[in-house]
Amino acid sequence: MPSRAGADSRASARGQLNTPVGAAATTTGGEDNGQNDGDGEDQPCQACGVFPARFQCSACQSVRYCSQECQASDWKIHYRECAEIVAAQKEDQTELQQGAGRPRSATNGAGETGVPGDRYSTDLEMTSRAAASPLRTGAAGEVLGDEGENIRATANRPRRRPREPVRRPRLTPEQRAAYEEAERIADMKFYMLQIYKIIKPVVICICLSILWVKISMAGSDYRPTQSSYTVYRESPNSTASQNFLGSLANAGIIIGQIVIVTIIIVILFKRGHIKVLIGFFMVVVAMLLGFMGYVLILNLIQVLRIPLDYLTMAFALWNFSVTGLISVFWKGPMWVQQMYLTVMSSLMAFSLTGLAEWTTWMLLALLVVWDLIAVLCPFGPLKILVESSRNQNQEVPALLYTVNAVWFMASPPDNILNRETLRSKESSDSEDVTLTNGSSSPGANFHGGHSRATGRDGGASISSSRNSGLDTSFSAHDGMSRTSSTMALVPNRNGDSPTGDRDTIELRERARSGDSGSSPRNLNHGEGSPLSGRASRSASGGQRQSRDPRRDSREVDDEEEHRETSDDDDDDDGGGLKLGLGDFVFYSVLVARAAMFDWVTTMCCMVAVLTGMNATIFLLAIYQKALPALPISICFGMLFYFATRFALVPFLAVLAQSQVFI
Amino acid sequence: MTLTTFFGCAFTAYGPSLAIFLGSIAPNAQLVILMVSSAFFWLISVLLASAIWYIASNSRDTFPVTIIYTVLLQELFRYFLYLLINRAESGLNMVASHPKSRFNRSGYAFAAGLGFGLMFGIISYITQLVNSLGPGVIMCESCKTVSLYFISAITTSILILHHCAWMMISFTGFTNRSWLRVAWVVITHYGASYLTILNSSPTVNYGCAYQIMGNLVLLIASAIIVFADMRHLHQKLS
């Protein structure tokens, strides 16, 4: 085995060179956990079983791969045995250097006993070892500096019995399968908890919207009304076809506005005018909280007959809005952010209830189509947004509701660490919240491995992040960050260019998602609430306030804000689903519209929307890529609304009259 | 009779089941998701039943006939839900907090039953509940001194709990191929529904009281069966 020869050569060359370890480690670290050309032994690829496997893991040189993709996908399983193998190799060298006579305890390679606790240190050594030990490269010079380091490092490890045949601990197929299984379980647990964590804010937002609608329907003068942008006014006298076409025109106008705004945002984002976007969103949020909050308060005051003077109201409203702006765009406790985002979504939905009935349903139907196109088609704006966000390693400002990481839920067993931000590729993307699973499958698996390694870390915290903003969040995870960064240095195969840059980008994103609390998955809501919000705002411009074009940006702001704040948030770690605020808004619009009819329709639509959301997240778990969050829920919701309204409600009315329970 | 009646009836109808939900299901993410899914199934079954009702416009007012196909559809979807959970059981067990526990299936059955029950309770009773907020009151047909809202609240609460029991019994029945249990579920469901016709019967005096007592007896009997099954499960391997 080459390593033995290498050990000899190293032993002989020892003391002749002083190569700084750090330099060796860092310079070669980037590639060394990658692949080196194998010597063409006829072994199958470890991951896919194909012959010939021309690459091998450069750290341990004991497994072969056929391509970098396979190496990346196998890393999450191989990293354990890699550590053990390298440790065993080190022990071999140590034994050779120090003589076989030293009594050693009979342990099976340091790697095994050390795995749980030593994984991190092992990983680090791996890097330096990897840097040191690519025997094929024959660069003995760079090896030497590490030797002392390795010896020191291995000095503390339990020794193997002398004369014991050198064993390379390798994962048996059963172990490998077990690790894969464990990985899958951790995956599913993660998703389950994410569903649970995202159901709560969605339910709260929906309930708030129902509350506002019910209150304003009780006879207030300040109800949101349809804007004059709409070309068609529904009236009870029009025929069905007139209603249909007219509402189609209305909804088309609104969707057109949404599309235009989305494209503008995408262009701005791609060009890098982040500050413009942020400023824009800030204004939008301010307007939303300020004006829409004002309208809501007027409604409440009138219906509930609250005695309140203008001064107090202005003071309270000012405080409310400014706190919202601060907590969403700057720093604030996570729960305050989430609360504000939820409230803003419900305010947005409340304003959208001003649309007439046919228009609302038509709008929702068109949104489903738009969402599907925008997220899944290659030329869809949201997809482009997601990708450019990934490329620039810059999250789209706000627009996302982030669920906290679940790492605090349970101490993970040694080999299964809770996942956090898996697949973080799209983590930054927010706006439309695409259910992103980060990369394509090889990358996905790779990420899985990472998250496992990083464990509680909430996604890889990279020690070397380009984004200074992230550094503050690393403080909490310093111990882990080194490891994760090491692990993360394995080339990330995401099907695109596997360059070092890409790796760091991936890492950075993961880190960002880690500490920004953003997690890879963003449920796409189809247009980013901003857009829709925007359009609808103009559409329902019949508010008392002057229709301010900036109000549109308010919606966009909602989503952005969240992301912004989460960036600075140290406490709540990333990981977890990200759901765009637009999803919140349109779920609430649907249920609020159902609430305008009857309580039974309200409840049915709520259950339908929640089940749709579960199904979408389930699909996300299967497909591991960005998915639109609106279609399934809205389709269920609309179906149930119409079925309930025309069949169930009369049915129940008859039953309830006679108190017959089915 | 407004807020007082509203809160009283609301807590009477939903109190026990919500307490159960908050106590044992809400902390467990998996069970919550199961519950929502089973509520969805129940909803589909009732929508189908209402579609049939809508189509069969002649028999709209004859309750015995309505109950026949409604209960039948609910039981059918109970079976479908069982099939679904059965299919997904290995996955569910993997992420459960105790993957190898043999009570997992009972847990799922319980959550599913609560899903059915809560959805049933909400759909059947919410309109009456909201109506009780208003200034008027409707008296029960057969017990003229009690308001309709209150009798309905009691019936709702009993039936929600009964749904939990039915689901657990039926799951045991489907798993162990004990058709007796399945028959028990179907028959008692029909019994419970037909008993509620007594609520509004103009001929039977105190019909509502008989209905409540009858439903209670059925509930206790089902509960006994559930406990016997659980004890049997507990003792089986220990």
Side-chain angles (χ1 to χ4, degrees):
Chain A
M1 196 52 207
S3 66
R4 206 166 275 276
D8 292 336
S9 67
R10 265 182 295 194
S12 59
R14 187 174 167 214
Q16 290 176 13
L17 285 181
N18 287 324
T19 313
V21 177
T26 47
T27 47
T28 53
E31 309 149 346
D32 271 343
N33 277 355
Q35 302 177 2
N36 293 327
D37 277 352
D39 53 13
E41 290 176 21
D42 234 1
Q43 286 185 23
C45 167
Q46 185 84 345
C48 65
V50 157
F51 280 97
R54 279 190 242 98
F55 296 91
Q56 72 173 17
C57 174
S58 63
C60 62
Q61 285 111 37
S62 42
V63 289
R64 302 266 187 272
Y65 298 102
C66 64
S67 62
Q68 282 184 326
E69 285 78 16
C70 280
Q71 187 266 332
S73 69
D74 193 56
W75 177 245
K76 70 181 188 298
I77 303 195
H78 174 62
Y79 81 92
R80 291 189 187 89
E81 60 179 4
C82 197
E84 295 167 7
I85 294 174
V86 176
Q89 290 172 354
K90 279 306 143 201
E91 283 192 25
D92 294 346
Q93 296 163 12
T94 315
E95 289 179 21
L96 285 169
Q97 291 153 9
Q98 299 168 351
R102 186 174 309 187
R104 290 174 187 147
S105 58
T107 53
N108 207 11
E112 279 184 22
T113 51
V115 156
D118 287 349
R119 184 194 359 250
Y120 303 129
S121 52
T122 304
D123 295 341
L124 281 180
E125 287 160 26
M126 217 168 48
T127 315
S128 47
R129 243 182 266 116
S133 66
L135 308 161
R136 336 204 136 281
T137 64
E142 64 186 356
V143 166
L144 289 191
D146 300 281
E147 204 47 42
E149 177 112 339
N150 291 328
I151 292 178
R152 256 173 278 137
T154 55
N156 297 331
R157 268 202 225 103
R159 305 274 179 253
R160 231 195 272 133
R161 239 196 322 256
R163 313 269 186 257
E164 211 176 9
V166 174
R167 266 179 294 132
R168 307 216 177 286
R170 202 180 272 258
L171 287 180
T172 64
E174 293 82 27
Q175 276 178 308
R176 185 170 280 270
Y179 281 134
E180 281 183 17
E181 187 74 11
E183 168 115 356
R184 253 203 306 274
I185 291 178
D187 211 355
M188 284 174 55
K189 276 196 173 145
F190 172 75
Y191 274 111
M192 211 173 62
L193 284 161
Q194 293 305 299
I195 293 183
Y196 188 51
K197 278 165 160 293
I198 205 91
I199 278 186
K200 286 192 238 181
V202 171
V203 167
I204 291 176
C205 183
I206 291 181
C207 288
L208 279 179
S209 303
I210 296 176
L211 183 63
W212 309 145
V213 157
K214 289 285 185 187
I215 286 181
S216 75
M217 261 180 22
S220 141
D221 292 331
Y222 302 103
R223 253 173 298 176
T225 55
Q226 201 158 331
S227 86
S228 56
Y229 273 30
T230 54
V231 298
Y232 172 73
R233 293 246 169 225
E234 295 179 28
S235 68
N237 303 329
S238 23
T239 66
S241 62
Q242 269 181 332
N243 268 335
F244 184 78
L245 292 175
S247 59
L248 192 57
N250 278 351
I253 292 176
I254 300 176
I255 287 275
Q257 292 169 347
I258 291 178
V259 171
I260 291 176
V261 172
T262 314
I263 293 181
I264 291 179
I265 290 183
V266 170
I267 291 179
L268 276 180
F269 188 73
K270 260 179 100 75
R271 297 289 173 82
H273 305 303
I274 301 297
K275 295 234 186 319
V276 173
L277 275 180
I278 292 179
F280 194 43
F281 289 167
M282 279 181 76
V283 173
V284 164
V285 167
M287 292 299 180
L288 179 66
L289 284 178
F291 283 114
M292 213 46 224
Y294 177 59
V295 169
L296 181 66
I297 289 180
L298 286 180
N299 270 305
L300 288 172
I301 290 178
Q302 182 171 41
V303 172
L304 299 177
R305 306 218 183 96
I306 305 174
L308 191 63
D309 57 309
Y310 272 108
L311 277 181
T312 314
M313 186 196 73
F315 186 68
L317 191 59
W318 167 258
N319 277 317
F320 177 69
S321 317
V322 171
T323 313
L325 270 178
I326 291 179
S327 70
V328 171
F329 279 105
W330 194 45
K331 292 186 204 294
M334 186 68 130
W335 67 272
V336 174
Q337 278 178 52
Q338 291 175 334
M339 186 203 77
Y340 266 104
L341 288 171
T342 314
V343 168
M344 281 192 299
S345 308
S346 72
L347 286 178
M348 194 60 228
F350 175 54
S351 80
L352 281 176
T353 56
L355 293 174
E357 174 146 17
W358 282 76
T359 311
T360 313
W361 295 114
M362 215 42 91
L363 175 67
L364 287 171
L366 289 180
L367 267 175
V368 166
V369 174
W370 165 248
D371 206 5
L372 282 171
I373 293 179
V375 177
L376 296 179
C377 291
F379 54 83
L382 298 183
K383 202 180 180 91
I384 296 177
L385 189 66
V386 159
E387 283 164 13
S388 68
S389 159
R390 189 191 331 156
N391 290 340
Q392 297 178 20
N393 188 41
Q394 165 91 38
E395 284 184 11
V396 177
L399 302 181
L400 273 195
Y401 181 98
T402 307
V403 173
N404 287 342
V406 296
W407 61 267
F408 52 86
M409 292 290 294
S411 320
D414 285 339
N415 54 350
I416 302 172
L417 289 175
N418 277 332
R419 295 220 168 171
E420 317 215 72
T421 19
L422 295 187
R423 294 105 191 191
S424 58
K425 286 219 190 160
E426 321 278 337
S427 55
S428 345
D429 258 347
S430 27
E431 233 180 285
D432 333 54
V433 200
T434 33
L435 268 180
T436 321
N437 176 7
S439 52
S440 47
S441 50
N445 291 336
F446 171 77
H447 293 293
H450 277 239
S451 53
R452 200 184 312 118
T454 60
R456 301 164 137 253
D457 203 7
S461 352
I462 305 177
S463 41
S464 59
S465 161
R466 278 188 222 158
N467 189 348
S468 58
L470 296 171
D471 291 339
T472 53
S473 358
F474 292 130
S475 53
H477 308 286
D478 263 351
M480 308 249 190
S481 26
R482 278 180 314 145
T483 326
S484 35
S485 61
T486 312
M487 302 303 278
L489 281 175
V490 178
N492 153 39
R493 297 289 153 256
N494 52 10
D496 304 60
S497 55
T499 60
D501 265 354
R502 191 105 185 128
D503 298 347
T504 37
I505 288 177
E506 288 308 326
L507 289 180
R508 216 174 314 133
E509 283 196 338
R510 238 186 318 270
R512 182 191 287 279
S513 38
D515 43 297
S516 63
S518 52
S519 102
R521 309 171 224 295
N522 319 328
L523 288 180
N524 187 359
H525 86 97
E527 248 344 271
S529 40
L531 316 176
S532 24
R534 206 169 296 203
S536 46
R537 273 254 162 212
S538 34
S540 59
Q543 322 284 350
R544 293 300 192 80
Q545 298 71 21
S546 57
R547 190 152 349 114
D548 198 332
R550 289 180 300 170
R551 204 183 305 167
D552 296 335
S553 47
R554 196 184 314 174
E555 276 83 21
V556 184
D557 263 351
D558 305 349
E559 303 168 349
E560 290 191 13
E561 297 165 0
H562 189 72
R563 188 196 73 95
E564 288 290 323
T565 334
S566 40
D567 268 342
D568 294 329
D569 207 334
D570 278 0
D571 304 322
D572 310 290
D573 217 12
L577 287 166
K578 273 178 142 191
L579 183 61
L581 287 194
D583 293 322
F584 278 76
V585 169
F586 287 106
Y587 291 161
S588 308
V589 166
L590 192 147
V591 182
R593 173 56 60 177
M596 286 182 165
F597 183 71
D598 192 47
W599 276 101
V600 173
T601 45
T602 315
M603 290 296 153
C604 289
C605 289
M606 182 150 33
V607 169
V609 161
L610 285 179
T611 310
M613 205 176 67
N614 284 352
T616 313
I617 298 183
F618 181 63
L619 283 180
L620 173 66
I622 295 181
Y623 285 112
Q624 304 287 345
K625 60 186 264 224
L627 286 182
L630 279 185
I632 300 184
S633 292
I634 300 239
C635 286
F636 276 165
M638 284 176 67
L639 180 68
F640 274 48
Y641 173 77
F642 288 111
T644 305
R645 174 180 173 153
F646 293 115
L648 189 60
V649 168
F651 178 54
L652 289 174
V654 168
L655 284 180
Q657 215 172 357
S658 313
Q659 287 189 284
V660 175
F661 284 83
I662 47 170
Chain B
M1 286 295 270
T2 55
L3 273 183
T4 327
T5 316
F6 174 77
F7 280 116
C9 291
F11 289 138
T12 309
Y14 301 123
S17 27
L18 275 184
I20 294 177
F21 169 72
L22 288 172
S24 46
I25 309 250
N28 189 332
Q30 186 182 30
L31 293 182
V32 168
I33 297 173
L34 261 179
M35 207 185 88
V36 173
S37 314
S38 94
F40 186 69
F41 268 72
W42 188 87
L43 199 53
I44 299 182
S45 80
V46 164
L47 278 178
L48 284 177
S50 69
I52 296 179
W53 176 86
Y54 190 79
I55 296 174
S57 43
N58 290 334
S59 68
R60 277 192 191 179
D61 279 335
T62 55
F63 296 123
V65 175
T66 315
I67 290 182
I68 289 180
Y69 54 78
T70 313
V71 171
L72 196 59
L73 273 170
Q74 287 181 48
E75 296 306 319
L76 197 62
F77 272 81
R78 204 191 297 278
Y79 180 59
F80 291 155
L81 187 61
Y82 168 75
L83 288 179
L84 179 72
I85 292 188
N86 215 16
R87 176 73 62 90
E89 186 160 11
S90 54
L92 287 173
N93 277 340
M94 257 197 333
V95 291
S97 36
H98 305 282
K100 303 240 185 5
S101 158
R102 67 187 113 100
F103 293 109
N104 274 340
R105 187 184 281 266
S106 310
Y108 305 145
F110 182 62
L114 200 58
F116 260 43
L118 275 177
M119 202 60 205
F120 157 80
I122 290 177
I123 297 284
S124 318
Y125 188 56
I126 195 103
T127 4
Q128 298 175 45
L129 190 60
V130 170
N131 285 340
S132 76
L133 260 179
V137 67
I138 311 179
M139 288 314 191
C140 179
E141 273 285 322
S142 56
C143 312
K144 300 247 193 284
T145 52
V146 189
S147 81
L148 176 133
Y149 310 125
F150 190 54
I151 299 291
S152 294
I154 298 178
T155 314
T156 310
S157 120
I158 296 178
L159 281 178
I160 295 180
L161 297 172
H162 215 163
H163 265 286
C164 295
W166 281 331
M167 190 68 86
M168 295 185 77
I169 298 178
S170 67
F171 268 47
T172 320
F174 291 133
T175 315
N176 303 337
R177 314 225 144 240
S178 154
W179 303 120
L180 207 57
R181 284 183 171 71
V182 178
W184 169 263
V185 167
V186 176
I187 292 177
T188 40
H189 198 164
Y190 273 115
S193 274
Y194 280 122
L195 269 175
T196 58
I197 297 186
L198 277 178
N199 266 343
S200 64
S201 115
T203 51
V204 182
N205 262 345
Y206 299 113
C208 59
Y210 297 138
Q211 178 262 122
I212 292 180
M213 284 194 298
N215 270 325
L216 262 180
V217 165
L218 285 177
L219 175 63
I220 293 177
S222 294
I224 292 178
I225 298 183
V226 168
F227 288 135
D229 281 341
M230 295 291 288
R231 165 182 271 193
H232 183 69
L233 191 63
H234 181 67
Q235 286 171 342
K236 203 158 55 158
L237 295 170
S238 63

